[in-house]
Amino acid sequence: MKRLVLPLLAAAVLACGSTPVWAETPWDPADEPTLAADAQPGYQAQRTCSPAPKPGAVALLDLLIATWGGSSWGISRGCEVGGTSEHKEGRALDWHMDVADPADRMRVADALEWLTADGGEVAERLGVMYIIWDQKVWASYRSSAGWRPMADRGSYTTNHFDHVHISLTWDGAMRQTSWWTGVPVTKPLSGPCGVGGAPDCRPPSAQALKAMQLIRPDDVVRPDSLPAPGPAPRIGGSPQVGHLLEVVPGTWVPGNSELVFQWILDGIPVPGANAATYLATAPDLGAVLRVRVIAFAPDGSVVIRLSDEIPPVAPARFRGVTTPALRGEPTVGRLLSVDPGIWRPFPATMAFRWYADGRPIPDATGYSHRLTATDLGSRISVAVTGTATGFVTATAASGPTAPVGAAGLDATTPRVSGEHVTGRTLTAAPGRWNPASVKLAYQW
């Protein structure tokens, strides 16, 4: 069994002269050589439309950007845009890199080698279904075929010269593969976990959570935020959901003592919370924390100290929220949809509110909005509101469109029927018009 790779990212991207150097390739310091492979579901085509970005797609895009640079070209796509696409189920990502840039080419080559090496083990453990880059395609379900040429689709973008496209299986999209949970997939998902009778979603493993702290630097305790050692244990860090707290034992500890920790939440010991650090989670919201430190001295004596309580655990705030992007043509009759952008973490629920020139459009609260004659001449925008347990509700607004234009009329050629003889009546057949409600006028 080949080595399991997990996301341990370098804390920063270094620079050497004028040549950019990206972060260290993710790897697993613990090395898990005995973990079984995930079950391969094969190609899972888009069958529904649920464009909200799925957590595994968000996490993988974050990881690629944090490690190799580049930027996001989005995850979601409107239901009526183009043909079949996993973007319409929020389980495909576009990573903006340009094949014409030598540095981008090197970065992408390094990332794709990491994903596809050893028969694509890392890709399979991430739930990567297929990858398109530089007019070539690689699929995990056909990994023995390697990279295959793709037919010319007609443009720089559609041939994937300016971005890497990665589609995920449903397990990968829902972050349920062994790379995230430490548990190999045995029965692949065919849709979102926890929905429609599907099993509940498994949380990320401790290793994955630790690795994701490097993607989210707010989740570590900076040395400069730790309190000075004192006569009792002191707690450093922000008491906030999603943030790490760390205990500074203090000056009372006898030399060479073995320390044991017990975190206490609202006066009740937290089972299993026996490390020097503690990650505050949503169930801790509003509770007060303290920690008991037990020192076992070399002479056999035992010293116990209890820290003071710290302020109640506060709700977290979404981080890295990007501006929502509007997709579609601002023309009467056309559908506008929204790519909600990147949220860290991805909200449990999202709400949408569409505006025309800053005024709410009645009943326009969906992922998309079909423009009507009422919208003519207005600039359309949308606000996306994200909510999650333990987080402060946040709203991000798109920029406005150009003024909504009038739709063109489609029609077939009119015909004249009747006998072309003096005294006889001729009749005009107007043909088919779209929309059918158009008002017609005649001029002979």
Side-chain angles (χ1 to χ4, degrees):
M1 178 61 62
K2 297 176 285 295
R3 182 178 68 189
L4 168 65
V5 183
L6 286 175
L8 186 60
L9 301 179
V13 177
L14 307 178
C16 180
S18 60
T19 304
V21 179
W22 49 94
E24 182 181 350
T25 301
W27 68 296
D28 177 20
D31 201 357
E32 297 281 354
T34 60
L35 192 65
D38 293 76
Q40 170 59 260
Y43 176 58
Q44 295 180 312
Q46 176 229 336
R47 298 184 183 280
T48 62
C49 191
S50 53
K54 303 305 182 285
V58 174
L60 178 54
L61 184 55
D62 275 352
L63 184 149
L64 292 170
I65 294 171
T67 309
W68 288 282
S71 60
S72 167
W73 265 16
I75 291 173
S76 301
R77 183 174 298 170
C79 300
E80 297 187 6
V81 178
T84 300
S85 172
E86 290 79 37
H87 281 295
K88 297 181 182 181
E89 291 178 327
R91 56 186 182 97
L93 60 94
D94 287 336
W95 176 31
H96 178 39
M97 290 292 227
D98 199 316
V99 74
D101 186 318
D104 281 4
R105 284 203 310 272
M106 288 190 295
R107 290 182 172 95
V108 172
D110 190 56
L112 297 185
E113 169 64 21
W114 171 69
L115 281 168
T116 63
D118 296 325
E121 182 179 9
V122 174
E124 290 195 5
R125 292 195 183 281
L126 279 164
V128 170
M129 195 161 59
Y130 64 87
I131 307 168
I132 306 176
W133 163 249
D134 194 15
Q135 208 176 333
K136 293 186 287 290
V137 60
W138 179 93
S140 60
Y141 49 86
R142 292 183 59 185
S143 59
S144 60
W147 285 93
R148 296 171 285 118
M150 186 183 73
D152 187 349
R153 296 185 178 180
S155 74
Y156 198 78
T157 295
T158 55
N159 284 330
H160 296 78
F161 293 133
D162 55 8
H163 70 285
V164 180
H165 171 98
I166 299 178
S167 281
L168 300 173
T169 64
W170 274 107
D171 289 284
M174 298 306 298
R175 207 168 63 182
Q176 295 299 289
T177 54
S178 62
W179 202 86
W180 293 111
T181 67
V183 179
V185 173
T186 57
K187 185 178 180 181
L189 292 168
S190 57
C193 50
V195 176
D200 290 337
C201 302
R202 293 189 301 272
S205 68
Q207 278 186 312
L209 284 172
K210 180 178 179 182
M212 285 190 290
Q213 289 168 7
L214 296 176
I215 299 174
R216 305 193 301 266
D218 286 349
D219 288 351
V220 297
V221 181
R222 299 190 312 273
D224 61 1
S225 71
L226 291 174
R234 293 173 175 171
I235 298 173
S238 174
Q240 190 175 6
V241 171
H243 286 241
L244 203 67
L245 301 169
E246 184 173 342
V247 62
V248 176
T251 56
W252 58 273
V253 177
N256 299 318
S257 293
E258 181 180 350
L259 300 180
V260 174
F261 306 93
Q262 176 61 66
W263 290 84
I264 301 169
L265 188 70
D266 278 346
I268 301 173
V270 181
N274 306 117
T277 57
Y278 180 82
L279 182 66
T281 60
D284 302 334
L285 187 63
V288 292
L289 280 162
R290 63 195 315 182
V291 65
R292 179 183 294 114
V293 180
I294 306 173
F296 295 88
D299 63 4
S301 60
V302 178
V303 185
I304 302 174
R305 293 287 188 274
L306 189 64
S307 76
D308 290 334
E309 292 181 341
I310 58 175
V313 175
R317 294 184 180 276
F318 294 105
R319 295 184 298 275
V321 178
T322 59
T323 301
L326 292 177
R327 311 294 188 198
E329 182 182 342
T331 302
V332 171
R334 296 298 180 92
L335 191 75
L336 291 182
S337 60
V338 59
D339 180 343
I342 301 298
W343 296 62
R344 299 184 180 91
F346 193 72
T349 60
M350 281 190 153
F352 306 92
R353 164 58 70 182
W354 292 83
Y355 295 86
D357 290 337
R359 298 184 301 274
I361 301 174
D363 301 321
T365 56
Y367 168 79
S368 59
H369 170 63
R370 187 171 296 281
L371 298 169
T372 67
T374 306
D375 300 320
L376 184 63
S378 301
R379 296 178 183 271
I380 306 299
S381 60
V382 64
V384 181
T385 299
T387 59
T389 302
F391 282 77
V392 176
T393 298
T395 298
S398 74
T401 65
V404 175
L409 296 176
D410 296 325
T412 58
T413 303
R415 293 181 293 106
V416 174
S417 61
E419 191 174 354
H420 293 200
V421 176
T422 300
R424 297 298 179 94
T425 300
L426 299 179
T427 302
R432 294 187 301 273
W433 290 77
N434 183 29
S437 59
V438 65
K439 293 182 179 180
L440 300 178
Y442 299 85
Q443 174 64 60
W444 291 86

